[in-house]
Amino acid sequence: MASPATTAALRPLDAMDTTVSGPAEIAGVVAAHLGLLGARADGAPGDVQDGGTTVSGRGFDTVSATVNWGAPGSGLVDEATVQAATGVMAVHGRRTGLPAGLAADYTATATGVLAVQGLLAGLVGQSRGVAVGHVEAGADRAGLLAVSQYLAAAGADEGEAAELAPGGPPFTSAEEVLFELETLDPGAWAAFWRTLEAPADAIRAGWRPFQFRYATACAPFPPVLHEVTRGRPLAEIRRAADVSGAEVCVLRTLAERHAEADGAAPWSFRPTGGAAPRRPVSTRKPIGPKAGVGPLTGLTVLEAGRRIQAPLAAHLLGMLGAEVIRIEPPGGDPLRGMPPTSSGISARWLALNRGKKAVEIDIKAPADRRRLTGMAAGADVFLHNWAPGKAAGLGLDADDLARANPALVYAYTGGWAGRIDDAPMGTDFMVQARTGVGEAVRPEGERPAPSLMTLLDVLGGLHGAEAVLAGILLRERTGRGVRVDSSLLGAADTLTAPALARIARGENPRRPAGFRRPLPTADGWITPADRDARAAAAHDLTELPTAEALALLRGHGLAATTVTTDLSDLHHDPRLSGAVHLDAHGAPAVPAPWSFA
C-alpha cells in the first residue's frame, strides 16, 4: 500500500505499463517498487535465472532492464553465492571473526532497487534527449557497491584507525533484554558508563572501537562493558542513558514490526513551486543521443550530505552523469582525513565522494545561506541528510528553495520519515534494532543482533537515489518542482518485506538454523547455493583444500563458490562481471552497478 503522500497524481510512472521477470528475490523488489511508483503490472513477476523488465507508455519508448546474479559461468547463482564472492559474508562476519551469511536477501534487494533506478534514469534520459533503451543490473555489482567502503579501506596506504577484531553490540540487561546503545559524543559515552560504574580504563578503551564500528564492522571494546550491563536492570540502563545524553533502543522482533507497520511506501513525493506550466519543462536543454553520455548528463546536484546515506545517493547520481557539487563546512569535510588514507585522502571518503566538486559554505552564516540559495536557483537537485528540522530552522527547506527555483527537486534522506512516534536516533544500527532487522539477518538458533555492516546506510542511499530519479521524472512530466523524502526506515521495510510477508502467511519469519553458514575447508571457506546447502553440509570438507572441496561438491551436482575473506582479492576475482580498479588517488573503486545501452 502506498503512503498517503504518494497519490496517483504524484506517481512518476502513472499510466505506464510494466512486465517483470527474473530471479524471484530480485524481481519481487522491482515489481513492488514499480507498482508503488504508479506503473501497471502485466501479470505476476516471473521467476527465471536471468530476467527482463520493461516500462513503456505515455510518450516514452520502451525501456528494458535485465537483472541477474552474475556473469554466465561465474558460479554466482543465488544470494548465498553472491554474498560469498563479493565480500559481504566477510564483512558481516567481522563481529564474530568468522565469515557469515546474511539471512536476509540483501544483495537481491539492492539489485532490485538498482534496476528500478536504471529504468527511471532511462526514462529521464529519454525526456531529455539521451537515448537509453536498455539497462542491466547484476547482484555481483550490487554486492561490490555494498562493501565499497570496506574494500577501499583494505586497499589504502595505511592500516585501519581501529582494530579489526571480533566484538561489538548489542548489549544485554540483567533481564536478558538485548539493546543497542548509540551516541556520537565521547562525553555522553563516558557519562553513560560512569553512571553504571564501569571501570574507567574500560570506558576509555571502549570509545574508539565503538566510534569506528561504522567503518570497521566490528567493535572489540573491553568485555567488562558487557558484564556491566548484564548486572543492571533495563530501567537502570535507561536512566543512565537519559542522564548522559546517550540513547538506548531495545531490539524489536519482526512480529512487533509487523504489528505496527503502516504499509507506507519507502519514499514520498510532494509538489512544490506553485502551479504547473502548460507543458513539462526541464531546467536543462535536451542533449542529443550520444554514445557514452549518461542519462543525467547536464543536470546539477547539490549535496549537503554527511556520513553514508546522502553522499552515496549523490555518488550514484554522479555515476549516471550528473554534476555533483558537495556543500562542505569551512575548512572542508573533516572526514576527508579519516584514516586509512590513499594519497593523503580518506579511502572511505573517496569511495563515496570521488569525482564530486566541493564548495565550502557556512550554513550558519546568513550571507552563505543566501549564496547556497543562489546556487540552488541554478541546480536541478538539492539533496541533504541534516538532522530533522535543521533545514527549516535555517530557511533552507523545500518551500524556501522553491521560491528561488520552482523546478527544483528537493530531496531529504532521513532516519524515520516521521513514521515512528517514539523513534530513537535515526542511525543505521538503531533503525536495525527498532525494525526487527536484527532478527531478519540471523537465522534461528543465533541471537538476534543488528549487523555491524552498515546495511541500512547503504540501502538507504540506494533508496535516496531512487527517490531523486523518481522526482526528476515527475518534474520532467509535470513541469513542477517536487520534494522527495526517503529514509532508513523505508530501507529496513524493503529489506524485511519477505520476512514480514511470512508472518502475514502465518509462517516463521526467520530462516532455519544454519541458513547460509559457510563450510570450512582445510585452507578457507566455501558457500553452497541455498538450494544445495543441506546436501553440501553432509560432506566433511575440513580436510580438503578449497579447490578439491569445490570439485567434490560440483561432482555431486551441487553449486558452491569460494568465500572471499580478504577484500583485496576482489581486485582480480574472475567471478565478478565488473572490474575493481584504482582511482587517481590509488584507492580501490568498484564498477558502476548498471550498464546502459
Side-chain angles (χ1 to χ4, degrees):
M1 181 176 67
S3 67
T6 311
T7 62
L10 274 180
R11 297 191 298 184
L13 300 183
D14 187 39
M16 291 192 178
D17 298 310
T18 65
T19 60
V20 180
S21 65
E25 301 91 334
I26 302 174
V29 175
V30 174
H33 281 213
L34 291 178
L36 289 169
L37 291 169
R40 298 181 298 231
D42 179 13
D47 182 13
V48 295
Q49 185 65 20
D50 295 309
T53 299
T54 64
V55 178
S56 61
R58 278 256 175 131
F60 288 89
D61 294 332
T62 297
V63 179
S64 63
T66 301
V67 293
N68 52 57
W69 294 113
S74 64
L76 307 187
V77 297
D78 70 348
E79 177 73 28
T81 51
V82 170
Q83 285 191 26
T86 58
V88 170
M89 287 188 174
V91 177
H92 174 58
R94 285 181 179 177
R95 186 184 178 279
T96 60
L98 299 174
L102 291 162
D105 295 329
Y106 188 75
T107 68
T109 301
T111 305
V113 176
L114 288 165
V116 174
Q117 288 177 14
L119 291 166
L120 291 168
L123 294 169
V124 169
Q126 279 192 31
S127 72
R128 307 182 55 254
V130 181
V132 176
H134 183 75
V135 60
E136 182 174 335
D140 59 343
R141 294 195 184 192
L144 286 177
L145 183 67
V147 302
S148 60
Q149 297 172 78
Y150 309 101
L151 171 61
D157 298 336
E158 58 186 357
E160 287 280 5
E163 182 185 7
L164 293 182
F171 297 95
T172 309
S173 73
E175 304 94 335
E176 297 295 320
V177 174
L178 295 170
F179 67 92
E180 276 285 338
L181 173 69
E182 183 65 282
T183 178
L184 306 180
D185 177 7
W189 163 269
F192 172 82
W193 291 108
R194 282 198 299 268
T195 303
L196 297 180
E197 300 180 340
D201 57 344
I203 296 173
R204 288 191 297 272
W207 168 247
R208 190 170 183 84
F210 180 83
Q211 176 192 25
F212 276 89
R213 72 198 191 283
Y214 283 92
T216 61
C218 60
F221 43 67
V224 69
L225 297 182
H226 284 291
E227 296 171 13
V228 167
T229 63
R230 289 193 192 100
R232 300 291 191 278
L234 182 63
E236 185 178 340
I237 292 168
R238 289 190 185 279
R239 284 195 295 272
D242 289 341
V243 300
S244 66
E247 292 198 34
V248 162
C249 180
V250 170
L251 267 63
R252 297 288 187 101
T253 65
L254 288 164
E256 288 175 310
R257 177 61 190 148
H258 180 265
E260 71 172 3
D262 56 9
W267 3 246
S268 63
F269 308 100
R270 178 175 67 81
T272 60
R278 285 183 172 272
R279 56 189 177 85
V281 297
S282 170
T283 60
R284 293 288 180 273
K285 293 181 180 180
I287 52 180
K290 182 179 179 183
V293 174
L296 301 191
T297 298
L299 298 183
T300 299
V301 175
L302 300 182
E303 175 231 315
R306 47 184 191 152
R307 302 187 74 133
I308 298 172
Q309 188 183 9
L312 176 58
H315 182 55
L316 290 166
L317 299 174
M319 285 184 173
L320 291 167
E323 178 185 55
V324 180
I325 302 173
R326 272 182 60 77
I327 307 302
E328 299 188 356
D333 187 345
L335 293 182
R336 286 177 183 265
M338 178 183 179
T341 62
S342 292
S343 300
I345 300 177
S346 170
R348 288 193 180 87
W349 189 89
L350 287 168
L352 297 171
N353 297 294
R354 66 171 52 89
K356 299 177 183 178
K357 298 180 180 179
V359 175
E360 294 181 14
I361 288 183
D362 182 1
I363 57 175
K364 297 178 182 178
D368 272 15
R369 290 199 297 273
R370 289 192 294 271
R371 182 184 172 206
L372 179 56
T373 300
M375 292 175 66
D380 297 278
V381 177
F382 178 72
L383 167 67
H384 74 90
N385 63 342
W386 293 329
K390 182 174 182 178
L394 294 170
L396 297 173
D397 211 354
D399 293 331
D400 299 313
L401 295 187
R403 286 189 283 272
N405 182 354
L408 184 69
V409 175
Y410 185 101
Y412 179 57
T413 60
W416 299 102
R419 290 167 48 199
I420 301 291
D421 291 335
D422 60 343
M425 190 184 304
T427 58
D428 188 307
F429 305 139
M430 295 295 264
V431 179
Q432 284 196 53
R434 180 64 175 74
T435 59
V437 171
E439 272 196 346
V441 299
R442 301 184 189 277
E444 289 278 16
E446 293 185 18
R447 189 177 74 158
S451 176
L452 286 176
M453 180 176 168
T454 51
L455 302 181
L456 298 187
D457 273 339
V458 171
L459 193 54
L462 267 61
H463 279 68
E466 182 185 32
V468 169
L469 288 162
I472 295 173
L473 183 59
L474 270 173
R475 192 270 304 275
E476 298 298 312
R477 297 189 72 184
T478 67
R480 301 187 67 170
V482 60
R483 172 176 176 140
V484 302
D485 286 81
S486 61
S487 64
L488 298 180
L489 175 60
D493 285 346
T494 298
L495 181 61
T496 59
L500 299 180
R502 289 193 287 272
I503 292 177
R505 297 193 297 266
E507 301 170 3
N508 186 344
R510 298 185 72 185
R511 299 295 195 178
F515 185 69
R516 287 194 189 137
R517 182 174 294 166
L519 304 176
T521 66
D523 57 356
W525 300 82
I526 63 173
T527 291
D530 286 336
R531 67 174 183 267
D532 295 332
R534 179 172 295 183
H539 296 273
D540 183 3
L541 309 175
T542 56
E543 301 299 322
L544 295 177
T546 299
E548 292 182 21
L550 284 175
L552 172 67
L553 295 183
R554 290 169 180 169
H556 286 84
L558 306 177
T561 197
T562 306
V563 178
T564 296
T565 55
D566 184 348
L567 297 187
S568 61
D569 291 341
L570 293 172
H571 288 257
H572 44 77
D573 194 318
R575 294 173 293 179
L576 304 177
S577 61
V580 175
H581 63 280
L582 299 181
D583 68 9
H585 300 278
V590 302
W594 344 253
S595 300
F596 289 94

